[in-house]
Amino acid sequence: MRISRIHIKNYRSLRNIDIYPKGLCALVGENNAGKSNILRALNLVLGEAYPSARSLDKTDFFNNDICNSILIEVYFEDNEENVEKIFLKAGIDEETEALKVELKMKYRGYPDEYYVKKDIKEKYGIIHIKAIRDLERHLGQSSWTLLGKISRLLNEEFSNVSDESTRIEIDRLYQSIKEKLSIKKFKLLEKELKEALSSQLLRTEHDIKLDFQPFDPLDYYKTLQLIPKELGEIKEISQLGDGTKNMILLALFRAYAKTFPGTSIIAIEEPEIYLHPQSCKSLYTLFRELEDKGTQIILTTHHPEFVDLEYFDEICVVRKSKDKDGLYSTSVTQVDINSFVEKRRRETGIHAITSESIRQFLRNISNSEANKSFFSRFIVIVEGNTEKFALPIYAKKLGFDFDKRSVEVVGVNGKNQIDTFISLYEEFDFPYYVIWDGDKDKQKDVEANRRITRRLKGEEIDWPETEIAEKFAVFENNWEDEFSKNLPGYDTLVEEAMKIYGLKKDRNKEIVAKYIANKLAKEEIPDFIVDIVSKIEALWEGYENGKARDV
């Protein structure tokens, strides 16, 4: 059971969006972009409560206008019940002029709509783990909590594998336990309660009795509890720290998902909360394993360990900006891998490109730094660490702080990869600037030069001359050669860095570049670097002002 599409219209900041979640779906974006609104909308349709007019207020409607009718549709992949979608409609009823909220469903291949029954709602419901972790709630026995679902599934499994004689034996053992627990005060309480109830039922025709049971004969696991211990001492849940509670909740989630794969859809906000970086990496690995076994996980995150360049089609970039009517609304950008494959075939003329070859290519160069680019506003694509380490230092000295403006410099391990990254970032609607070496002195990578210049200049050039343009900078030879031409005393600075750090010639160029960047005062920065930073700043400002991107 998996969601295939989510369509949301006029709910909070979500004016009109579509999401096609994969088995693992990461919603990334800045604070207040609308990520949590997407999970709230999903929970409104597939969560515990049946939504009603009381579930919504003015702020739940787009632009705070109750006349903007809400529609939230959740479509499913093929399933046993043949459910096509479950959806919510909320708006002003024309007859009563009151707010009307309906939760309905539709079967695949049939035109009629039906109200959602309890069994369907429970089976297709999500487990929503909010950013404010509520361990106590998920240890309750509701059908919508982790422990409640575990209890129900264990009971179903027990009913399937046990026979009548086993259940009779369990009943006998429980009766024996009840007798030992029936102390004097227990019996007195039971007697008084029965008498009180009898006095209320004298005028009815029903013979109702009340009995205390140490277990539910219809649900053997309903009394299942999680009891934490610390240094061998039993602790109340309320005594535990928030970090410990979060770890217990995630451990419970892990145990549930691995024991009962594919039985629920998990929506989790910011799984990185309270976790060390290594734990984040481990948890993401677990998410991948669970997805492979059939569990669908939809998450919001601000941590690069929970996205992977290789699986870019699982990433949804969530942004909030002014739309065509001048109203702030949320947009979601998602890239389909099959469409991307077709694009790369057209761009390169290589028809052997497949989704697997794209993934393998990205797998070989994927790292946490590349993953960070999906959390940025603007991307500078460079060949490697030399520019990556030095350029942000120069920009900061020139008054344009990359970190404050959410500019990410991505080193792609050589210019042969640059055009692929350009294509990918264009699909995700990221503004970008490209810097690369022409390598004319080395007569190196002429094909890469042709591909990049064809894309950025509209013509193929074997050995481009040095040029600082609006969207790119290319050096006739390389970064170091350009510094040598434009910075007096450059060779002396290189020798200083090599001596201080014990470096060999033409090795660890990024360390030398970073040393020089830190050493130079603002007025000593070469003009070509000033020009590059100026071009990046202009593009950034154009994007921020809505001039570089149609919303």
Side-chain angles (χ1 to χ4, degrees):
M1 176 183 60
R2 285 187 173 182
I3 295 171
S4 59
R5 177 191 172 204
I6 303 169
H7 174 68
I8 306 172
K9 186 175 180 181
N10 290 331
Y11 179 71
R12 296 192 170 215
S13 64
L14 312 173
R15 189 174 192 179
N16 194 353
I17 69 162
D18 281 285
I19 299 174
Y20 299 86
K22 305 298 181 181
L24 184 57
C25 175
L27 304 173
V28 305
E30 297 182 357
N31 290 326
N32 201 41
K35 302 184 300 297
S36 294
N37 285 344
I38 294 170
L39 292 194
R40 286 193 188 102
L42 193 59
N43 192 54
L44 198 59
V45 175
L46 302 181
E48 180 174 3
Y50 275 87
S52 66
R54 293 182 179 181
S55 307
L56 302 171
D57 60 34
K58 184 179 179 181
T59 61
D60 290 311
F61 292 80
F62 178 72
N63 202 34
N64 293 328
D65 186 351
I66 201 169
C67 293
N68 291 323
S69 297
I70 294 172
L71 175 63
I72 306 171
E73 297 177 300
V74 182
Y75 291 80
F76 297 92
E77 294 179 357
D78 291 343
N79 52 80
E80 292 180 358
E81 291 77 18
N82 202 33
V83 174
E84 178 185 1
K85 67 176 179 177
I86 298 176
F87 60 97
L88 175 142
K89 294 191 290 188
I92 300 298
D93 186 280
E94 294 181 358
E95 295 182 1
T96 64
E97 296 185 351
L99 179 61
K100 183 179 181 180
V101 179
E102 293 182 300
L103 183 66
K104 290 188 172 183
M105 60 177 287
K106 183 178 177 296
Y107 290 102
R108 189 170 280 104
Y110 295 90
D112 296 334
E113 299 174 354
Y114 303 89
Y115 287 102
V116 180
K117 295 181 179 180
K118 182 181 178 182
D119 59 335
I120 292 292
K121 188 165 176 60
E122 287 188 358
K123 182 165 184 179
Y124 287 78
I126 62 169
I127 295 177
H128 187 193
I129 301 177
K130 298 180 180 179
I132 300 175
R133 303 291 192 251
D134 192 351
L135 177 61
E136 287 87 347
R137 175 182 176 272
H138 280 287
L139 293 182
Q141 285 294 334
S142 161
S143 299
W144 303 89
T145 65
L146 271 171
L147 197 60
K149 285 185 177 289
I150 289 171
S151 297
R152 178 176 59 80
L153 291 167
L154 284 173
N155 190 66
E156 290 176 3
E157 180 69 13
F158 177 78
S159 298
N160 291 332
V161 300
S162 64
D163 55 23
E164 183 65 23
S165 62
T166 301
R167 290 191 285 271
I168 291 173
E169 177 63 14
I170 289 174
D171 291 345
R172 186 188 66 77
L173 291 172
Y174 269 125
Q175 288 302 321
S176 175
I177 293 171
K178 178 184 175 183
E179 289 175 7
K180 294 184 183 299
L181 290 173
S182 296
I183 60 176
K184 185 176 181 181
K185 288 290 185 181
F186 180 90
K187 291 179 178 178
L188 178 61
L189 178 63
E190 186 177 28
K191 175 177 175 293
E192 291 297 331
L193 186 55
K194 286 183 177 180
E195 289 180 357
L197 182 61
S198 296
S199 67
Q200 301 294 322
L201 300 174
L202 286 176
R203 298 183 180 180
T204 72
E205 299 178 356
H206 302 289
D207 180 18
I208 299 177
K209 295 182 180 180
L210 184 63
D211 191 15
F212 284 99
Q213 292 286 348
F215 78 101
D216 185 344
L218 300 178
D219 189 346
Y220 291 96
Y221 294 90
K222 195 170 185 177
T223 55
L224 189 67
Q225 295 184 53
L226 193 152
I227 302 175
K229 288 186 178 181
E230 188 175 37
L231 300 176
E233 181 182 350
I234 294 176
K235 294 284 187 179
E236 294 286 339
I237 295 296
S238 59
Q239 293 178 289
L240 303 176
D242 289 338
T244 302
K245 287 181 180 179
N246 181 61
M247 286 190 292
I248 291 174
L249 183 57
L250 291 178
L252 186 64
F253 156 73
R254 172 177 179 167
Y256 163 74
K258 295 194 79 170
T259 307
F260 305 103
T263 56
S264 284
I265 298 163
I266 310 293
I268 179 169
E269 298 181 33
E270 301 179 31
E272 65 269 20
I273 291 177
Y274 300 116
L275 294 183
H276 293 290
Q278 198 62 34
S279 297
C280 290
K281 188 174 183 178
S282 177
L283 184 58
Y284 178 74
T285 301
L286 170 67
F287 285 169
R288 293 239 64 91
E289 293 173 0
L290 297 177
E291 188 273 332
D292 286 341
K293 293 181 179 179
T295 297
Q296 188 172 38
I297 302 171
I298 302 173
L299 59 92
T300 67
T301 185
H302 295 279
H303 201 292
E305 287 294 353
F306 289 95
V307 298
D308 192 337
L309 184 65
E310 177 185 348
Y311 299 99
F312 64 86
D313 53 325
E314 296 176 345
I315 301 170
C316 295
V317 179
V318 183
R319 301 179 176 98
K320 184 187 284 186
S321 54
K322 284 187 178 180
D323 60 23
K324 62 182 184 301
D325 297 319
L327 300 174
Y328 280 97
S329 64
T330 294
S331 64
V332 178
T333 306
Q334 187 177 11
V335 178
D336 176 69
I337 190 166
N338 293 321
S339 298
F340 186 69
V341 166
E342 289 300 319
K343 178 182 180 181
R344 291 301 293 151
R345 287 174 177 172
R346 291 193 302 271
E347 291 171 343
T348 63
I350 303 173
H351 296 286
I353 293 175
T354 64
S355 58
E356 181 52 38
S357 67
I358 289 285
R359 290 203 195 281
Q360 187 174 2
F361 168 80
L362 295 175
R363 186 184 309 136
N364 292 333
I365 59 175
S366 178
N367 54 53
S368 59
E369 295 302 315
N371 295 339
K372 282 173 62 179
S373 63
F374 290 99
F375 299 85
S376 66
R377 293 185 183 180
F378 190 100
I379 298 168
V380 181
I381 304 171
V382 300
E383 289 190 46
N385 287 335
T386 297
E387 302 90 338
K388 178 177 175 58
F389 287 178
L391 191 60
I393 299 172
Y394 290 122
K396 189 172 184 179
K397 288 183 177 183
L398 292 168
F400 186 71
D401 191 319
F402 281 7
D403 290 336
K404 287 183 178 179
R405 290 165 174 81
S406 191
V407 176
E408 188 66 31
V409 183
V410 179
V412 299
N413 297 322
K415 63 183 174 185
N416 280 303
Q417 283 71 252
I418 285 178
D419 66 314
T420 301
F421 275 83
I422 291 174
S423 293
L424 187 60
Y425 290 139
E426 283 181 346
E427 287 297 289
F428 274 103
D429 206 13
F430 281 111
Y432 62 87
Y433 192 86
V434 182
I435 303 173
W436 85 97
D437 298 336
D439 291 318
K440 183 178 181 180
D441 55 340
K442 299 177 183 177
Q443 296 288 296
K444 179 183 175 184
D445 296 328
V446 64
E447 285 299 329
N449 282 336
R450 290 170 181 167
R451 291 197 304 271
I452 298 170
T453 54
R454 181 175 66 242
R455 175 181 287 275
L456 298 177
K457 290 177 65 68
E459 59 177 324
E460 291 186 356
I461 304 175
D462 291 356
W463 309 112
E465 297 179 356
T466 295
E467 181 180 3
I468 312 300
E470 299 300 318
K471 291 200 68 173
F472 69 87
V474 57
F475 309 126
E476 182 178 40
N477 292 322
N478 54 58
W479 171 280
E480 291 80 15
D481 182 64
E482 209 62 34
F483 263 88
S484 181
K485 292 177 183 176
N486 290 276
L487 179 63
Y490 172 74
D491 292 338
T492 301
L493 289 171
V494 172
E495 289 176 4
E496 282 182 17
M498 292 173 63
K499 184 176 180 180
I500 290 172
Y501 298 113
L503 306 177
K504 294 182 179 180
K505 189 176 182 180
D506 295 328
R507 297 286 184 88
N508 303 112
K509 293 180 179 180
E510 66 274 13
I511 297 177
V512 174
K514 189 173 182 180
Y515 171 81
I516 294 173
N518 282 314
K519 187 85 172 176
L520 295 181
K522 177 181 177 181
E523 57 274 11
E524 296 176 303
I525 298 174
D527 289 344
F528 79 94
I529 292 292
V530 175
D531 199 7
I532 288 173
V533 172
S534 175
K535 293 291 194 296
I536 292 172
E537 183 174 6
L539 276 177
W540 183 91
E541 288 180 349
Y543 175 75
E544 290 298 302
N545 293 330
K547 297 176 183 177
R549 170 172 167 263
D550 293 327
V551 178

